[in-house]
Amino acid sequence: MPGGAPERRRRRQRFGPEERRRFVLSALERPRTQSELRDALGMSNSGILHLLRRLERDGLVRPAERVAWTRIWERTRNGG
């Protein structure tokens, strides 16, 4: 871009709601940060948090720990 900062574009893959759920559950075979999941799915901060909270409500995942501003999530024993 002439005269401006380089454009930062993410390649967003389009996942449907069920594909996102399956991806998160398989990715959480080991604990992952919220930002790792967000970046992998190309979602916004609020979007990934909303998805994780729904999965938490269903008893599939849980927040394992929080280190400063980073939240680590893991799959529960009955998580799928």
Side-chain angles (χ1 to χ4, degrees):
M1 222 176 196
E7 189 175 352
R8 296 171 76 189
R9 283 191 176 228
R10 279 189 198 160
R11 264 195 201 180
R12 288 191 176 206
Q13 292 181 323
R14 298 292 177 190
F15 291 101
E18 192 54 40
E19 291 171 309
R20 285 191 297 264
R21 281 176 68 96
R22 279 195 303 265
F23 177 85
V24 168
L25 290 174
S26 67
L28 289 177
E29 290 293 327
R30 72 170 184 83
R32 307 256 182 189
T33 65
Q34 190 170 313
S35 59
E36 283 179 296
L37 298 169
R38 179 201 64 211
D39 293 345
L41 289 169
M43 296 178 77
S44 66
N45 286 326
S46 60
I48 193 65
L49 182 58
H50 186 72
L51 174 60
L52 289 166
R53 290 288 184 216
R54 276 187 279 137
L55 292 171
E56 181 184 24
R57 181 196 65 205
D58 295 342
L60 301 173
V61 302
R62 70 181 185 95
E65 63 182 290
R66 189 175 191 144
V67 179
W69 299 107
T70 303
R71 184 168 289 157
I72 313 267
W73 291 82
E74 67 183 8
R75 198 168 172 174
T76 60
R77 291 192 191 275
N78 61 347

